[in-house]
Amino acid sequence: MGTQTLYDKLWNSHVVHEEPDGTTLIYIDRHLVHEVTSPQAFEGLRLAGRKPWRIASMLAVADHNVPTTDRTQGIADPISRLQVETLDSNCDELGITEFRMADVRQGIVHVIGPEQGATLPGMTVVCGDSHTSTHGAFAALAFGIGTSEVEHVMATQCLLMKKAHAMQMLVEGALGKGVTAKDLVLAVIGKIGTAGGTGYAIEFAGSAIRALSMEGRMTVCNMAIEAGARAGMIAADDTTISYLKGRPFAPQGELWDKAVDYWRTLHSDKGAQFDKVVRLDAAEIKPQVTWGTSPEMVVAVDGNVPDPARESDPVKRSSIDLSLKYMGLQPNTPITEIQIDKVFIGSCTNARIEDLRAAAEVVRGKHVAANVKLAMAVPGSGLVKQQAEREGLDKIFVEAGFEWREPGCSMCLAMNADKLEPGERCASTSNRNFEGRQGPGGRTHLVSPEMAAAAAIAGHFVDVRNF
Amino acid sequence: MDKFIRIDGLVVPLDRANVDTDAIIPKQFLKSIKRTGFGPNLFDEWRYLDHGEPGMDNSKRPLNPDFVLNQPRYHGAQILLARENFGCGSSREHAPWALGDYGFRAIIAPSFADIFCNNCFKNGLLPIVLDTASVDDLFQAVIATPGYHLKIDLEQQSITAPNGMVYRFEVDAFRKNCLLNGLDDIGLTLQHVREIKEYEARRKTEAPWLFT
């Protein structure tokens, strides 16, 4: 075999069949399912008279449509309710494990998979959701798929695909104080662009990546798709293994030992060849804030909104123009002068316990600024919420003027009741600042939990390093 | 899946980069549990002046006259001419469903996002990558020429412009075959049932914790 990248190892261990042209049947170990991208797949399966190949590989949860306020009355929107009920009935009919809305284990699919140990190193993990790249933080090959592929995996436990190119994103050095995994990945996207990773699987490596907690690693891999890469991944190490120990779906006893021996091989070999290597110095990364309608439209907090007049490429200049118009921003405005209306701390990028702890630390004993109409902290799962409450984080948030919510995707994509009104500007810990993403006409600035928390207190963006 | 062999279609230019799947089909329409009916809400936020929600009568909504799809000269377009990184963002297959339901059969751009590109092939929609210079030429030609059609021949992997100019494009051989014949991927994969079972049997001994 020679020297292999982590991606080679994950790919090679899942090849079922390969055609001469490289089209490969890849076996899927874990299939995560949510309510938005699955109903048509279940229906397709039923119409074709097929049954799921391996029901035990599936884990389902409703997250996009669920309310984050009081749930005792169920879901008010009848269309959202029908979609969630459709998932419930499909899971009931086929015997698929599902965490229902009232289950404390319910939450965002990309939070609960790892939390339950349903995501393990060496696995192939898919979900009808582009942020499935999150699970690559566990040295898994994890990527988002469309609904046709959801049906394909249900019916065959496999996917037809061609191997991507391998990119190594090497981040050496130490992140400065107040600089987080979110800033790191936003800086990566700023450097290579939202199409920079198209056609690649990105392995994040280097001392800055190794130093991250699992939560931080998940934040980084989560946004690999925002750099265009379907899959992001990070080698397994002690941090990975100690995170997984004792999780409900993780192996135990002798199987655990056997698994750990295998997991320790899940890294790129010394001298392994990548198709592309990109380097970044962690020490140079500052807290990041997006100013436009694509995650690559990002600057450091001490920077300014760009001036389209200085862009020579006409397509890029037009993109900047359109973005500034949509965002209601003037060229050359210092980022720290941008006032905000709402704050959202949550999403599959930043709703884990460490994110909430970091944000709570910033707001502790302070209060949300008068111009901020709403600040919300939305835990990624019922278990994250429980843990946060045990630590008293909910009280810190509430005393600071935040709303403390039930778990779900919430205002990341506004498929539920949480959304921006037209023209409202939000400091958000989510992953996409596309037009209308958080509500029609809403204006999203992507930041870390610490930066969102500081902005909530100040009423405008501030450099959390001096806050 | 619908076959794709060749088309002779009207072209509409969408002159912006990084068109994401939230723009192609906004999230409120993803609550549907069906695969059809997304066409009227394609590019909803750009296409209409009001805010769209599922269940509205789209024929009564105010159209944005500045949005290119609303210009009468582009009505009935089957080919979308776009800029780089078209279809970035979410994996929602509702994006190609909406494009197909509207009537598009092919999209030409300098680059596509991976998941979107994959989803197109599963739905009889042909994503064609041309170099930036060719795309620039086509943008100029289509804007300058009312009724601008292109002939796309998948078998030949060629696009023929009205002036006789021929653009060649690459397409994965497997996907080309599926599109030309309207083949169902699941049916193809199920021809390998024995290999899937053999793989599982082997994997159960190598990594038994994956099957508990």
Side-chain angles (χ1 to χ4, degrees), chain A residues 267-283:
Chain A
H267 53 77
S268 289
D269 297 328
K270 205 169 163 44
Q273 290 298 305
F274 290 85
D275 299 298
K276 190 172 185 178
V277 177
V278 179
R279 289 183 169 79
L280 213 64
D281 180 355

Side-chain angles (χ1 to χ4, degrees), chain A residues 91-170:
Chain A
C91 290
D92 275 351
E93 183 189 322
L94 295 166
I96 296 164
T97 304
E98 184 199 11
F99 298 159
R100 296 277 179 102
M101 214 161 68
D103 190 320
V104 72
R105 298 170 298 175
Q106 182 269 341
I108 306 172
V109 66
H110 307 309
V111 175
I112 67 148
E115 183 174 81
Q116 292 294 320
T119 301
L120 295 173
M123 274 184 166
T124 42
V125 180
V126 298
C127 176
D129 193 289
S130 60
H131 290 114
T132 308
S133 59
T134 310
H135 307 263
F138 291 83
L141 176 57
F143 49 90
I145 56 179
T147 298
S148 293
E149 290 184 318
V150 169
E151 184 181 338
H152 195 281
V153 175
M154 285 179 184
T156 71
Q157 209 60 39
C158 292
L159 276 177
L160 274 166
M161 55 199 307
K162 276 193 170 168
K163 198 176 174 187
H165 298 295
M167 183 191 293
Q168 186 185 38
M169 181 63 62
L170 206 50

Side-chain angles (χ1 to χ4, degrees), chain B residues 84-116:
Chain B
E84 63 247 30
N85 201 27
F86 188 86
C88 59
S90 132
S91 67
R92 60 187 70 164
E93 200 158 315
H94 313 66
W97 292 339
L99 288 159
D101 198 49
Y102 180 87
F104 286 116
R105 296 300 317 276
I107 308 165
I108 302 171
S111 61
F112 293 92
D114 286 338
I115 304 178
F116 173 79

Side-chain angles (χ1 to χ4, degrees), chain A residues 48-87:
Chain A
R50 293 173 175 137
K51 291 272 180 224
W53 183 281
R54 190 155 76 85
I55 284 169
S57 72
M58 299 171 74
L59 177 61
V61 70
D63 54 5
H64 285 59
N65 283 276
V66 299
T68 60
T69 48
D70 179 24
R71 289 175 171 177
T72 50
Q73 303 302 312
I75 302 173
D77 174 0
I79 309 175
S80 282
R81 189 170 64 234
L82 176 64
Q83 198 165 54
V84 173
E85 286 170 355
T86 303
L87 179 66

Side-chain angles (χ1 to χ4, degrees), chain A residues 13 17 27 148-149 162 436, chain B residues 27 93 118 172 195 199-200:
Chain A
S13 59
H17 174 86
Y27 190 82
S148 293
E149 290 184 318
K162 276 193 170 168
Chain B
K27 79 283 298 167
E93 200 158 315
N118 216 26
D172 180 82
E195 284 160 284
Y199 173 88
E200 281 185 328

